[in-house]
Amino acid sequence: AQTVTQSQPEMSVQEAETVTLSCTYDTSESDYYLFWYKQPPSRQMILVIRQEAYKQQNATENRFSVNFQKAAKSFSLKISDSQLGDAAMYFCAYRSPGNQFYFGTGTSLTVIP
Amino acid sequence: GAVVSQHPSWVICKSGTSVKIECRSLDFQATTMFWYRQFPKQSLMLMATSNEGSKATYEQGVEKDKFLINHASLTLSTLTVTSAHPEDSSFYICSAREPSGRAGYNEQFFGPGTRLTVL
């Protein structure tokens, strides 16, 4: 099985500030996808951002961007201008060529007003 | 994005009984669906891959006779927890893959989850 590691169980950020969530993964594949998902208290998984491994350019989605370092197998998420609605569990995920998702242990993000 | 539903959203059952959870893709055909299990304050753990018309593939450590998966149509996969015990209490989430990929890359969509409590 693939390994996805999130070393920050909890993070907090002041509203309107920037926060970075860390993720590392392990794989022997060269073609795969990486994702960040948000899970609010409702437990519905919400896609935040995706990155294709063969693309060198870091993905961005409005206030969300990633720093993808393929050689280092690192995939961090940066949230800019944090909003109260960003508070949730954030899961980093690796999707194998067989389409199975392997999730990290999650980071609980608190946004302080 | 596409919609994946799960039914029921929550279920309580007695120890020793069996419980069936349904996962449906509402507006697309899903040749492959996946089942995950999430304990409180923990991550999602992949249990099995369900392919339409064939046997499911289970992850290491998941008992296939305990967690029966059936993917009889392109829009429905079911997970049956047989002879449920309190340790099976968990949150079960399915996802469905849209092979044609309206997003162009094998988009996968998650259901809202089913909370199972075994008394």
Side-chain angles (χ1 to χ4, degrees):
Chain A
Q2 311 304 322
T3 303
V4 180
T5 302
Q6 292 178 248
S7 59
Q8 306 153 316
E10 297 178 346
M11 291 283 284
S12 61
V13 61
Q14 206 75 33
E15 192 176 6
E17 295 296 310
T18 295
V19 65
T20 298
L21 308 184
S22 302
C23 174
T24 59
Y25 61 95
D26 187 29
T27 184
S28 58
E29 303 287 348
S30 59
D31 187 17
Y32 51 87
Y33 284 86
L34 296 165
F35 298 79
W36 279 97
Y37 277 90
K38 170 183 177 181
Q39 189 181 43
S42 69
R43 308 291 288 271
Q44 174 72 59
M45 298 294 281
I46 300 169
L47 176 64
V48 174
I49 198 165
R50 74 174 73 89
Q51 174 78 44
E52 298 162 76
Y54 66 86
K55 287 188 176 179
Q56 293 185 334
Q57 186 173 7
N58 289 325
T60 62
E61 285 287 340
N62 301 315
R63 298 183 296 107
F64 300 89
S65 62
V66 299
N67 183 2
F68 174 48
Q69 302 291 326
K70 190 172 184 179
K73 295 180 181 174
S74 170
F75 182 61
S76 61
L77 173 70
K78 185 170 81 172
I79 306 174
S80 304
D81 185 25
S82 298
Q83 300 176 1
L84 295 177
D86 294 334
M89 280 292 289
Y90 284 82
F91 291 100
C92 176
Y94 164 95
R95 196 181 81 183
S96 71
N99 291 296
Q100 292 93 348
F101 274 90
Y102 297 94
F103 290 87
T105 49
T107 297
S108 177
L109 179 66
T110 300
V111 181
I112 303 166
Chain B
V3 179
V4 175
S5 70
Q6 283 185 238
H7 178 79
S9 56
W10 59 272
V11 58
I12 301 173
C13 69
K14 292 182 179 180
S15 185
T17 61
S18 294
V19 175
K20 181 184 287 187
I21 302 170
E22 295 183 346
C23 176
R24 293 182 184 273
S25 56
L26 297 186
D27 56 353
F28 67 98
Q29 293 184 328
T31 54
T32 307
M33 292 183 174
F34 304 86
W35 287 95
Y36 299 84
R37 182 174 182 176
Q38 185 179 28
F39 289 108
K41 299 186 184 298
Q42 294 189 26
S43 186
L44 283 74
M45 299 297 294
L46 177 65
M47 298 175 66
T49 302
S50 168
N51 292 300
E52 187 267 336
S54 63
K55 289 184 178 180
T57 303
Y58 290 81
E59 293 295 300
Q60 190 173 8
V62 177
E63 301 174 61
K64 61 181 181 181
D65 295 329
K66 172 77 171 175
F67 299 100
L68 300 179
I69 291 172
N70 184 282
H71 193 158
S73 78
L74 287 172
T75 59
L76 173 64
S77 175
T78 59
L79 168 67
T80 301
V81 182
T82 62
S83 187
H85 288 95
E87 57 266 30
D88 298 324
S89 298
S90 188
F91 195 68
Y92 292 88
I93 300 175
C94 73
S95 70
R97 183 175 74 91
E98 184 183 21
S100 60
R102 67 189 71 186
Y105 79 100
N106 276 339
E107 181 78 67
Q108 198 168 134
F109 303 94
F110 285 85
T114 297
R115 182 177 302 283
L116 170 63
T117 301
V118 184
L119 301 176

